[in-house]
């Protein structure tokens, strides 16, 4: 196996980690409007991800940085062709971080309500747009012989891509609902479990249609295995949620997301960005990669740094592993930071 193949796999792993972690993160943001009944319950939901949301976004930075260094042509074509949707995602992530930190800086009703609206929309839009972006990558876009995207913004909004966006939005919301039931106590926990059952059924229908469509158009034997794993894991996640086994449900919903990302990348390989104009103009792991020397240096750096990052992030989740409820929210406590008694 060549180093560019190894880095294709590593980038797939980084995106898997990002969608697994940021997936429930986005889901919690969406649930602040769909699940919470009052301001206190919204604070509970936000505090479930308060200590970890910013660490989850490190996976996106790493995935983007690895793509830039390992596959510069892929990075250049992707970020120029998908400039507008990726810019919207970036703005959402910036505003979302500010909303978490500033929501409780003032006691005014209007101030807090506006930041709550911001958290909802800046969670919903990226959850949808990431699905649109990856669906387009798998589907193929207008790339010419010079490795440049020559399509327009509206070329990215077709039926397959929009279905992909709905799938990621539904899966992330289900993932977030299961996480909420795993991390909370009291009535909000019960409502989160009930909501997870409903949104999980919707996610299952959308995901099954999308994954079968993907397999039919660009799949292979390897991606078929990923499709089966995703379908079985989602069914097990729904069953575990109904049975009240939140830990197992969360694990299986995570496997569903991982298998879905695997299907994306397995359908792509050896392409990294197929051309819908001419298959000879597609970007591949070989023609879009950096030099072997660059890839060797990156491999050594990743071998040293990655275990340290994983250990630190794992420790963070362990420290803040306990459930929280409205009884843990003290009056005047800054939202977005860990609640008292939650660690």
């Amino acid at each position: 196996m060549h180093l560019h193949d190894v880095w294709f796999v590593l980038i797939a792993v980084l995106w898997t980690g990002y969608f697994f972690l940021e997936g429930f993160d986005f889901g919690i943001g969406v649930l602040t409007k769909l699940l919470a009944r009052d301001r206190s319950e919204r604070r509970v939901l936000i505090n479930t991800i308060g200590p970890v949301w910013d660490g989850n976004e490190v996976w996106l930075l790493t995935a983007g940085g690895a793509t830039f260094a390992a596959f510069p042509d892929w990075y250049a074509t992707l970020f120029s062709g998908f400039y507008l949707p990726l810019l919207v995602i970036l703005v959402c992530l910036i505003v979302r971080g500010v909303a978490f930190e500033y929501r409780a800086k003032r006691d005014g009703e209007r101030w807090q309500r506006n930041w709550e609206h911001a958290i909802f929309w800046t969670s919903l839009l990226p959850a949808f747009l990431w699905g649109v972006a990856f669906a387009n990558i798998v589907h193929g876009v207008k790339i010419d012989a010079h490795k440049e995207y020559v399509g327009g913004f509206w070329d990215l909004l077709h039926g397959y891509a929009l279905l992909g966006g709905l799938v990621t939005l539904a899966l992330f919301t289900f993932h977030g609902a299961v996480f909420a039931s795993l991390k909370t106590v009291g009535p909000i926990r019960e409502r989160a479990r009930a909501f997870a059952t409903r949104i999980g059924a919707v996610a299952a229908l959308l995901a099954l249609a999308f994954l079968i469509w993907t397999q039919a158009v660009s799949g292979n034997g390897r991606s078929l295995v990923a499709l089966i794993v995703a379908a079985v894991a989602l069914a097990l996640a729904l069953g575990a949620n109904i049975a009240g086994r939140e830990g197992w449900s969360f694990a299986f919903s995570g496997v569903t997301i991982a298998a879905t990302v695997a299907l994306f990348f397995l359908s792509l390989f050896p392409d990294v960005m197929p051309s819908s104009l001419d298959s000879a103009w597609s970007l591949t792991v070989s023609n879009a990669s950096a030099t072997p020397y660059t890839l060797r240096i990156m491999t050594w750096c990743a071998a040293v740094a990655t275990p340290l990052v994983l250990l630190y992030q794992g420790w963070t989740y362990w420290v803040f592993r306990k459930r929280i409820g409205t009884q843990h929210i003290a009056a005047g406590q800054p939202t977005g930071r860990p609640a008292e008694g939650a660690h």
Side-chain angles (χ1 to χ4, degrees):
M1 180 180 287
H2 298 287
L3 276 180
H4 52 64
D5 297 328
V6 172
W7 274 97
F8 179 83
V9 173
L10 291 177
I11 288 172
V13 171
L14 290 171
W15 280 108
T16 300
Y18 174 66
F19 286 141
F20 177 86
L21 297 172
E22 192 86 310
F24 70 76
D25 202 320
F26 286 143
I28 291 294
V30 173
L31 292 175
T32 58
K33 291 293 185 183
L34 302 183
L35 183 64
R37 292 181 175 176
D38 54 36
R39 181 143 294 153
S40 179
E41 289 190 347
R42 281 192 286 276
R43 293 178 68 178
V44 169
L45 289 175
I46 293 172
N47 280 358
T48 62
I49 59 173
V52 298
W53 67 266
D54 47 357
N56 294 344
E57 293 184 356
V58 171
W59 289 78
L60 173 61
L61 299 176
T62 308
T67 304
F68 172 77
F71 299 98
D73 288 334
W74 182 14
Y75 181 92
T77 304
L78 175 64
F79 279 78
S80 60
F82 294 12
Y83 179 82
L84 184 56
L86 292 179
L87 177 62
V88 172
I89 291 174
L90 177 60
V91 171
C92 283
L93 294 179
I94 293 172
V95 173
R96 187 167 178 265
V98 173
F100 282 140
E101 296 297 331
Y102 276 77
R103 176 184 171 274
K105 295 297 183 182
R106 284 169 52 181
D107 295 329
E109 174 74 18
R110 183 178 179 183
W111 172 272
Q112 295 192 3
R113 184 175 63 250
N114 287 340
W115 285 122
E116 288 166 1
H117 289 321
I119 290 171
F120 172 76
W121 287 109
T122 57
S123 298
L124 186 149
L125 286 175
F128 175 76
L129 290 175
W130 279 126
V132 172
F134 270 83
N136 271 290
I137 293 173
V138 174
H139 179 268
V141 292
K142 295 179 179 180
I143 300 175
D144 65 12
H146 303 291
K147 302 180 181 180
E148 296 180 357
Y149 177 73
V150 293
F153 170 74
W154 297 110
D155 293 321
L156 304 176
L157 301 179
H158 45 85
Y160 177 75
L162 295 175
L163 178 58
L166 291 175
V167 168
T168 52
L169 175 58
L171 282 178
F172 290 169
T173 305
F174 171 66
H175 199 41
V178 174
F179 182 76
S181 67
L182 179 65
K183 286 287 293 179
T184 58
V185 295
I188 193 170
R189 175 188 178 188
E190 300 303 321
R191 292 203 309 277
R193 186 188 302 164
F195 185 84
T197 300
R198 296 194 297 271
I199 191 63
V202 174
L205 293 175
L206 292 172
L208 188 61
F210 178 73
L211 295 178
I212 291 175
W213 191 348
T214 303
Q215 180 65 27
V217 173
S218 55
N220 50 53
R222 298 185 300 270
S223 62
L224 179 60
V225 174
L227 187 156
I228 294 172
V229 171
V232 171
L234 185 53
L236 291 173
L238 279 167
N241 177 72
I242 293 171
R245 304 296 297 274
E246 292 107 337
W248 282 107
S249 182
F250 181 71
F252 284 126
S253 67
V255 172
T256 302
I257 291 173
T260 301
V261 177
L263 184 139
F264 285 157
F265 281 88
L266 290 171
S267 298
L268 276 175
F269 189 82
D271 292 339
V272 294
M273 206 166 178
S275 172
S276 60
L277 300 178
D278 190 329
S279 59
W281 296 342
S282 297
L283 301 182
T284 67
V285 292
S286 55
N287 69 21
S289 69
T291 64
Y293 177 77
T294 299
L295 295 178
R296 283 197 298 271
I297 296 298
M298 289 177 60
T299 303
W300 281 109
C301 292
V304 173
T306 303
L308 298 176
V309 174
L310 292 176
L311 285 172
Y312 176 76
Q313 191 162 30
W315 175 80
T316 302
Y317 275 90
W318 174 258
V319 169
F320 297 101
R321 67 190 181 277
K322 292 186 178 180
R323 296 177 183 268
I324 62 173
T326 53
Q327 67 270 28
H328 298 124
I329 302 296
Q333 178 196 340
T335 306
R337 305 196 184 282
E340 294 177 10
H343 53 78

